[in-house]
Amino acid sequence: MRKLFLALGATALIGVSPAQADTNLSIATGGTGGTYYPLGGGLAELISQHIEGYSAVAEVTGASVENMGLVHRQDSDLAIALADTVHQAYNGGERFNGNKLDVLAIASLYPNAVQIVILADSGITSLADLAGKRVSVGAPGSGTEVNAKALLETNGLSFDDFDERGLNFNESADAIRDGDIDAAFWSVGPPTSSIVSLATTRDIALIPLSEKEIANARAEVPVFAPYKLRSGTYEGVDTDISTIGIPNVLTVNSAMSEDLAYKITKLLFEKVEALRAIHPAADDTTVEFSLDSTPIPLHPGAIRYYEEIGAEVPEALRQ
């Protein structure tokens, strides 16, 4: 995908000099119904337009867990993933069988919200009510699946307590709409297009989490934080919904050059309005949020940018 010798071979065939050829970068995102894909596509376009000698493309993937493997193997150059998954990858957590992956951070982009969607007339009002129901916990290997597992297990439930389905965002929305499942988890920046679309065809509701359920989850997963999904985010959802949020992190392999990592970090923040025009989740893409929320060390090139603008980089974010 990014092998320079392939790019050079192709340019020779079409008569373009190697100096003129772009190095192609791959950005691992998620499904098309979530937030990663449009934001990754926006970043890819910015890279192609503003970093000389490089072009980029957003790739559809199974999201967070898969993305960590892609970056570790350098099958993708950048990847977006949930903070808890990134933390496990860097530290060799359970999801990665104790193996520490080669991954560093560029920035935290925005917080996800765990959103548990049901039909308004389902009779389901709490996490405990999911027992015995048909529930999608997200695509296999996705950050949604990781978050759902942690939230449930810290509150006395497991996937064994219901009829588990491993559906992606669009599949989950379709299954709720068609009555094939009773509930589904999303861990994504709101508003997300698949839930927006579902809410236009069915009366939906979201399951709120209690203060105790939030505290239980945070005790197990420190990167979780209380999050309030604002009233009106989705059609028919007219009250604030208490849940948990998790930062989403833009990551790279440590082998990326310091200069390229610096240029990508600088571009991300200096052209962030272009990303905000694509998706409102990028409203939270700020230097302050990034330095407060990133769960693993930053790439030296990213640190160079933060220091250049006078930001204080926490020691925990240095290798």
Side-chain angles (χ1 to χ4, degrees):
M1 186 178 300
R2 60 190 294 273
K3 303 292 188 184
L4 187 55
F5 71 86
L6 290 178
L8 293 174
T11 55
L13 290 174
I14 61 175
V16 179
S17 70
Q20 294 173 299
D22 282 348
T23 297
N24 298 309
L25 302 178
S26 166
I27 304 175
T29 62
T32 57
T35 305
Y36 287 5
Y37 185 73
L39 283 186
L43 180 59
E45 186 173 351
L46 289 175
I47 290 171
S48 300
Q49 291 176 347
H50 298 287
I51 299 183
E52 185 176 355
Y54 290 90
S55 62
V57 62
E59 302 285 355
V60 175
T61 71
S64 293
V65 175
E66 179 182 346
N67 289 356
M68 291 297 88
L70 290 170
V71 164
H72 173 71
R73 297 188 302 272
Q74 298 185 64
D75 290 333
S76 292
D77 301 278
L78 301 100
I80 307 171
L82 277 168
D84 56 337
T85 305
V86 172
H87 187 268
Q88 283 204 28
Y90 182 81
N91 291 289
E94 174 188 355
R95 264 291 179 175
F96 301 95
N97 300 315
N99 297 310
K100 296 183 179 182
L101 304 193
D102 187 348
V103 56
L104 294 173
I106 292 290
S108 284
L109 300 178
Y110 65 95
N112 265 19
V114 173
Q115 301 162 75
I116 312 170
V117 180
I118 53 177
L119 293 181
D121 61 359
S122 68
I124 299 171
T125 61
S126 69
L127 209 57
D129 289 341
L130 295 178
K133 302 297 193 297
R134 301 164 299 172
V135 182
S136 171
V137 297
S142 68
T144 294
E145 184 186 53
V146 172
N147 293 160
K149 184 174 187 288
L151 175 60
L152 290 165
E153 290 185 351
T154 55
N155 285 287
L157 293 168
S158 75
F159 291 176
D160 294 333
D161 291 318
F162 48 71
D163 181 1
E164 173 198 349
R165 310 290 176 89
L167 308 178
N168 66 28
F169 294 150
N170 287 332
E171 290 169 342
S172 290
D174 289 345
I176 290 177
R177 184 197 64 211
D178 297 339
D180 294 330
I181 60 174
D182 303 297
F185 283 78
W186 273 257
S187 187
V188 64
T192 187
S193 60
S194 47
I195 302 178
V196 170
S197 177
L198 174 62
T200 65
T201 60
R202 292 288 188 273
D203 293 332
I204 69 165
L206 281 81
I207 298 175
L209 300 181
S210 69
E211 289 185 8
K212 181 173 176 54
E213 287 169 340
I214 292 170
N216 289 343
R218 295 188 71 198
E220 179 69 23
V221 184
V223 297
F224 283 155
Y227 184 83
K228 192 79 71 175
L229 185 73
R230 292 183 295 275
S231 168
T233 299
Y234 301 110
E235 184 177 341
V237 180
D238 300 325
T239 59
D240 292 346
I241 302 295
S242 294
T243 184
I244 49 177
I246 311 96
N248 292 277
V249 187
L250 181 64
T251 64
V252 296
N253 189 283
S254 65
M256 177 175 281
S257 74
E258 180 177 327
D259 185 60
L260 179 56
Y262 164 79
K263 288 178 178 177
I264 291 172
T265 311
K266 180 181 175 73
L267 179 68
L268 172 67
F269 290 109
E270 292 190 350
K271 300 293 184 182
V272 69
E273 289 301 330
L275 297 181
R276 290 171 180 163
I278 293 171
H279 199 289
D283 289 345
D284 289 306
T285 304
T286 66
V287 169
E288 293 75 20
F289 174 72
S290 183
L291 295 180
D292 287 344
S293 304
T294 300
I296 65 169
L298 296 162
H299 190 286
I303 292 176
R304 176 180 152 196
Y305 170 75
Y306 292 123
E307 291 182 333
E308 181 180 274
I309 62 171
E312 185 175 345
V313 178
E315 283 304 313
L317 300 188
R318 300 177 186 273
Q319 282 185 296

